[in-house]
Amino acid sequence: MNLLQLFASSHLMWLVRSATYASICPRTPLQAQLSDFSGRDAFPLNLGAAYKPTIGGGQQPLDWKWQGPHTCIGKYCVWSSETSSGDGLSIITTSANSMLVQNMTTSMGSTFTSPALRTVQIANKGVGMIAVEPIRRGERILAAEPVVLVHRSLIDELTDASQHDLLEMAMKHLPEAKRRQFMAQAGEFGGHRIKDIMFTNSFQINLGGHDGQHFGNFPVVSRFNHDCRPNVAFYIDGNLTHHTHAIRDIEPGEELTISYLDSFRARDVRQQRAHASWGFACTCSQCSLSKDEADISDARLYSIYKEENLLADLGNSQVTPTMIEHLIELYEQERLDFKIADVYTLAALNYNILGMAEMAQKYAQLSIEQGVMEHGPEAPDIEAMRLLLANPRGHWTYNRRV
């Protein structure tokens, strides 16, 4: 449930995160804990009336022409599309989901790559991306469409041989340039090459409904290396376009990174996930802290978990301005500026409930500015904060805490 839906509810109780504090990697291999699809960094696409994705940067929709099904095994079939400009997408999914995807691509715009980027070899990491000129906070870096989309349940329900047949058919129907892009990506686990690439480089995407979970592969995005405290935020919009923005200033020569995993987990958990899912030991600055520093960091992360849940209970009469500011301070100390929009939203709501309209507006504005980079400009939570910003005293939350 998004915040806009919550605002329409008569309840003041809201849990921002489940008690299990589950984690799902935004770039999770198909083999990694597929039963857990509800965590922080999965990407459900909100296709309700409140969310009408737009095409950024003045782009025009591409002329996607769909063909198929080319082959089917059970309920899973292969469809493909190619545009006159050479873009292409192959999907392996059910008939109902194929119609959803085909409708989404009618509004999918062309890709965008910032001229400030360069793809290079990075020591001990392989291919990565660096800035070749200054990139300022909020600048758009990439807009990319998927090349392959695969239904998540396929790997549970079909044999390896059947999976390979479908993946090979999907590759066969991609334009040559897109096929080369896909096959140039790294694999970590060996075995069937196409499946290995999907294991290593896919983002989880939820098209909606009970059967909408898919994996999407965006070859250009796979050039981003991982950092537990990255300098790039990303989201996938309702047209299946993957967007990345700088969340702080980036200087020439600096590597651009995203987080592959749940950066709110303790260091040991992050290390285990990185090794199990991608076969590397994370050496980012946060994972390279001394044991004493890492213990302090882990304690802050646990405090964030507890305090965020207290503030998420909008009926909690014990919440004070000091508690709100302390949670934000913890985020800043942990350098979680790539995932801070939601805590700004919590701050705005709680300040408004306390009758502190000016502070509510301050954090609503920050939530909007940050949320555009984390969730997209038309996401429901952004619209909810715009409403609060425009008229905090007329908002249903104003001065509700007694």
Side-chain angles (χ1 to χ4, degrees):
M1 181 180 290
N2 59 57
L3 285 174
L4 191 59
Q5 291 169 315
L6 288 164
F7 287 172
S9 168
S10 61
H11 300 290
L12 287 177
M13 301 291 288
W14 173 45
L15 291 178
V16 71
R17 191 177 295 128
S18 70
T20 57
Y21 202 23
S23 77
I24 280 290
C25 301
R27 191 165 174 258
T28 301
L30 306 187
Q31 67 172 23
Q33 299 183 8
L34 297 176
S35 62
D36 181 4
F37 200 84
S38 60
R40 171 184 293 274
D41 288 324
F43 291 89
L45 304 185
N46 189 319
L47 303 178
Y51 186 24
K52 300 176 181 178
T54 57
I55 301 169
Q59 301 175 66
Q60 295 300 314
L62 299 175
D63 54 335
W64 296 90
K65 296 179 174 62
W66 284 92
Q67 297 180 333
H70 302 295
T71 189
C72 296
I73 299 178
K75 64 182 180 182
Y76 300 108
C77 301
V78 178
W79 285 264
S80 65
S81 183
E82 184 174 355
T83 71
S84 58
S85 61
D87 289 291
L89 170 61
S90 286
I91 60 175
I92 306 174
T93 190
T94 63
S95 179
N97 280 306
S98 77
M99 295 305 299
L100 283 176
V101 173
Q102 291 178 40
N103 288 334
M104 291 175 188
T105 57
T106 61
S107 298
M108 187 186 290
S110 58
T111 59
F112 168 83
T113 302
S114 168
L117 297 183
R118 180 175 298 165
T119 301
V120 299
Q121 288 289 327
I122 296 178
N124 302 316
K125 291 186 177 182
V127 173
M129 287 193 283
I130 64 168
V132 294
E133 57 187 75
I135 300 174
R136 301 281 74 92
R137 179 181 182 274
E139 281 191 35
R140 186 168 65 144
I141 296 171
L142 289 175
E145 74 262 6
V147 169
V148 181
L149 196 69
V150 177
H151 197 288
R152 194 194 87 173
S153 296
L154 173 145
I155 63 172
D156 296 324
E157 298 177 5
L158 299 184
T159 65
D160 285 346
S162 294
Q163 294 172 42
H164 299 167
D165 288 345
L166 291 175
L167 287 166
E168 288 164 11
M169 182 63 71
M171 283 295 105
K172 176 182 176 181
H173 287 278
L174 279 177
E176 177 62 28
K178 294 299 179 183
R179 186 160 58 247
R180 287 198 304 269
Q181 276 189 348
F182 181 93
M183 297 304 295
Q185 296 172 94
E188 295 291 343
F189 305 101
H192 189 266
R193 176 65 178 164
I194 301 171
K195 187 175 178 180
D196 190 17
I197 289 171
M198 287 296 298
F199 277 9
T200 307
N201 298 284
S202 290
F203 290 80
Q204 295 182 357
I205 301 173
N206 189 348
L207 304 181
H210 72 283
D211 191 41
Q213 295 86 2
H214 288 69
F215 295 94
N217 181 271
F218 302 79
V220 66
V221 181
S222 71
R223 299 170 188 166
F224 285 109
N225 284 317
H226 165 74
D227 196 302
C228 292
R229 299 294 184 265
N231 51 18
V232 172
F234 65 90
Y235 67 92
I236 300 172
D237 71 17
N239 302 321
L240 299 179
T241 302
H242 189 294
H243 300 267
T244 50
H245 292 80
I247 48 86
R248 52 181 175 267
D249 291 349
I250 302 171
E251 300 305 321
E254 186 176 351
E255 185 180 7
L256 283 77
T257 57
I258 62 174
S259 179
Y260 293 3
L261 46 76
D262 185 350
S263 294
F264 288 73
R265 302 303 294 266
R267 180 173 69 173
D268 285 351
V269 177
R270 300 196 308 268
Q271 290 277 302
Q272 291 166 12
R273 173 57 71 89
H275 186 268
S277 298
W278 299 281
F280 69 84
C282 183
T283 58
C284 75
S285 60
Q286 198 69 16
C287 284
S288 299
L289 295 173
S290 69
K291 184 182 185 307
D292 287 346
E293 291 171 324
D295 288 346
I296 293 170
S297 172
D298 290 348
R300 278 197 295 259
L301 291 170
Y302 185 57
S303 293
I304 285 172
Y305 167 63
K306 293 189 297 181
E307 294 182 25
E308 200 170 56
N309 276 281
L310 288 174
L311 266 66
D313 176 0
L314 299 183
N316 185 351
S317 62
Q318 304 303 310
V319 171
T320 66
T322 300
M323 293 172 61
I324 299 170
E325 295 301 322
H326 185 250
L327 178 58
I328 293 167
E329 182 182 352
L330 289 172
Y331 265 76
E332 293 170 347
Q333 290 173 346
E334 275 299 300
R335 298 187 297 131
L336 294 168
D337 49 357
F338 65 103
K339 285 289 183 184
I340 202 169
D342 291 345
V343 79
Y344 287 153
T345 298
L346 278 179
L349 291 171
N350 276 277
Y351 271 122
N352 213 47
I353 288 171
L354 290 169
M356 302 174 67
E358 290 75 16
M359 293 298 291
Q361 286 180 304
K362 170 188 172 179
Y363 283 109
Q365 182 64 49
L366 288 172
S367 176
I368 293 166
E369 292 172 0
Q370 184 72 20
V372 165
M373 296 184 284
E374 294 182 22
H375 306 307
E378 303 301 327
D381 291 359
I382 303 297
E383 178 59 25
M385 287 294 97
R386 289 183 180 128
L387 292 174
L388 192 153
L389 178 64
N391 185 16
R393 290 176 175 83
H395 193 270
W396 69 270
T397 58
Y398 183 68
N399 212 22
R400 290 291 295 270
R401 188 161 294 157
V402 294

